[in-house]
Amino acid sequence: MSNKNNAIKDEVNISKLYGLEATLPKEEFMQKYKVKENGLSSQEAEENLHNLGFNEIKQAKPKKWYHYFLESLLTPFNCILLGIVAILIYTDIYLPPTPSYANIIVIAILVLASTLLDFFEEYRSNKAAEELKQMVATTTTVIRNGEKIEIPIREVTLGDVVLLSAGSMIPADLRIIEAKDLYVGQSSLTGESDSVKKTVESELSLDNLESIADLDTICFMGTNVISGSAKGIVIKTADSTYFGKVAHTLTVGKPKTAFQKGIESISRLLIRFMLIMIPIVFLLNAWKHDIITAFTFAVAIAIGITPLLLPVILSSSLSKGAVRMSKKKTIVKKLDSIQNFGAMNILCTDKTGTLTEDKIVLEKYLNINGEEDTRILKHAFLNAYFQTGLKGNIDEAVIKRGLENEMGSLSENYQKVDEIPFDFSRRRLSVIVSDGTKKQLITKGAVEEILTICTMVDYKGEVSPITKEIKENIRKMSKSLNEEGLRIVAVCQKNDVNHTNHFSVADEKNMILLGFIGFLDPPKESAKESIEKLNHAGIRVIVLTGDNAEVTRCICNKVGIYSKNIVLGNKIDKLSDMAVLRLLKKTNIFAKLSPIQKARIVRLLKESGNVVGYMGDGINDSPSLTNSDVGISVDTAVDIAKESADIILLEKDLNVLLDGATEGRRTFVNLMKYIKLATSFNFGEVVSVIIASALLPFLPETPIQLLVEGLLYDFGQLTLPFDHVDKEALDRPKTFSIKSLKNFMFFMGPLSSAFDMLVFASLWFIFQVRDVAMFQTIWFSYSITSNLVGMHIIRTAKLPFIQSNAHKAVYISSISLILIGILVPFTGLGKLIGLVPIGMEFIFLIFAITLLYCFIAIFAKKIYIKKYGEWI
């Protein structure tokens, strides 16, 4: 029993929860629970759903609107602001003889505005994401009203009859009532990698049940079918299932991305900065102004450093990014994965369907001497037709070619006796069939694995011992065909198997080699160009395949993926993690890999600092999809692959993937525009105000003016998620860096601060403004104007307005807010917060210094890019 199973064993009494359903014979179970094999009626299903609810685990249920609202209200910044309001109630209302509500009202408006904006954006974006997910929602097949229908897993209810096949997700806890060689993967619950056989009748008594591994008649929600087929009755749904009972003990989802950690780091940094700033600014001003004024000014300064609308911009950017990606055939299941998609610098993929057409054709069926022989096709047909695992392209190609050669009657003349399912360690599959007189065990699989179980060869009906020379000749023929791009599968059989009807891997020995079949899966015409585009976009493509080296090399050479060596899976197992990492630096092609080996490579690439995408659509891809930073699958993938993926492509094409990655980068760039703008300008302004408050005999702005100014400026940036992004900014993967943000803030912040000081000096020494309200008004309007015009300088590494233009929504919002910043002093609202009308000479001054700032900032931008090699 695994450690994971031990950890949760005590929490769920297996015998009590499942004992009766698991150990009762099928007929007694059907009678006791009044189960109908033809399924529920639509009315019964609706009644069950009404009474029991949807089949959703509590932890995974969609949030209600009030959950989103509370999360938006109780952000760290809002909590601090609400704490400040509590203090201001004492200092502004309780202490003074004449209460003042202005500061409290403005902060309340700030909190309410950021909360409502974040709430509506977060709620809307998550709803949009849910709608997109429904496009690729995992479904299951049930019998309702006596007919097979596909329904979403969440609509499965008690008593439903569920049909299972290879690749299916188990939608609820089921009692198996029919099964054909059913093997289930339970690693998501137990941690055990081996598949478990499920049967109709249990061989265990109620007293012998100790763990879920003992329950051979029960399939559990959250597990998946590896091979075989079955029919099961839903006995538990949602939180009543074993998965529901232990969901809180299971590690669900992926660790936080570098971007998420970076956002949290910024928030913590700014909160600490706020808490440090308040006492410093208070002490600097307490000796010149009354204590209450000094305190509220310090609070306003601290608030001014924070990008209050960061959660709003974040939700808006991810939401709009997901919608844009959906228009390019890319469905985002998890919004947070968008940034990782844009940051991806390594893509690991299999070659089938991605690099090739995924239209496998059986080209050759050859005996051991390389001659065409229909006996080989006949045995391959019987194996492919009767196996009940997931029928892949190879099986479909065999069946198609067999039917073309009029072998359809074989399915009537033979009956299946048993099956030994495929697994990735044996790399072969066996079926046992009978024609009524004798039984045959027929096996097909990888050439080397088949050779290890064969002791004889059959050439045109003559059986002889297999020799070293014969084996070597077969290997040479196989390699020669591989080099032509043909995938080779060997076929063998034996007849002396009449002693039993139940077979195991141990029976795959002393086999007779018949020959091999060759398949052609030509490379896509677009693959080479797609690989070049990915490489140009800074994404390295690494091929991880279960195929042999020769076929892989042939395909990879045709599509432009080159590697000095092709590393095989058996070599990986012998190497330490460090040695594998050294290989990964110079190797782009890995062949004959098992799913565990693929997952190990993905993990090592990720741990070495790369952002790794993995593209897969099979049962064996689930571990790698989970291990990667961004799991990518397609809408035609098996259920377990779609559930494990973060991104679903509606078309299995590298060009579609590149379009999606580009949109991820676009989303990241627009988000970083806001973060860099907010932190650098806010930092510069706070420095300016602190210096001015120390030098001037009055405050350069009142607390309420600072708060209103910050609010207007933030509103002016709400349209940034719509903004255009320069093509050059999308050429390379984008990753979040605190160091880069600090460099930007400390470079551009002091520059904007220097121009603030130029405004102060002009007003004090040239215009000799001594009227406090006039001074504060001019600086209020200048701050809004310079920041919103400066936004157009910061948003692009190019020359703004000439080489790069913003989206019209950005122009409209910035022009509108600049006009509001100039006109507010002439309104009643301006008078309420202490602003006064200003003359044209001061409006001219505001725009003149703003224009000067733009010219200097453009030159500063060139210096910054030359020094740090980046901009946004």
Side-chain angles (χ1 to χ4, degrees), residues 396-468:
E396 290 173 357
V398 171
I399 293 169
K400 182 180 179 183
R401 190 60 180 267
L403 292 175
E404 288 172 358
N405 283 36
E406 299 180 350
M407 292 183 178
S409 60
L410 291 174
S411 61
E412 299 171 4
N413 299 334
Y414 283 83
Q415 287 187 328
K416 180 182 168 184
V417 177
D418 200 3
E419 177 177 354
I420 308 170
F422 179 87
D423 66 58
F424 291 95
S425 56
R426 289 166 39 248
R427 293 165 61 82
R428 57 181 182 260
L429 180 149
S430 298
V431 296
I432 298 86
V433 294
S434 171
D435 62 359
T437 58
K438 67 174 182 178
K439 295 176 190 170
Q440 270 185 296
L441 190 156
I442 305 171
T443 305
K444 74 174 189 300
V447 174
E448 284 299 329
E449 280 69 12
I450 293 295
L451 286 176
T452 60
I453 60 172
C454 289
T455 55
M456 310 287 281
V457 292
D458 183 330
Y459 176 64
K460 294 186 177 180
E462 293 184 13
V463 178
S464 58
I466 193 167
T467 63
K468 187 177 179 181

Side-chain angles (χ1 to χ4, degrees), residues 165-176:
S165 58
S168 298
M169 288 285 292
I170 310 294
D173 287 353
L174 311 176
R175 163 65 199 255
I176 300 301

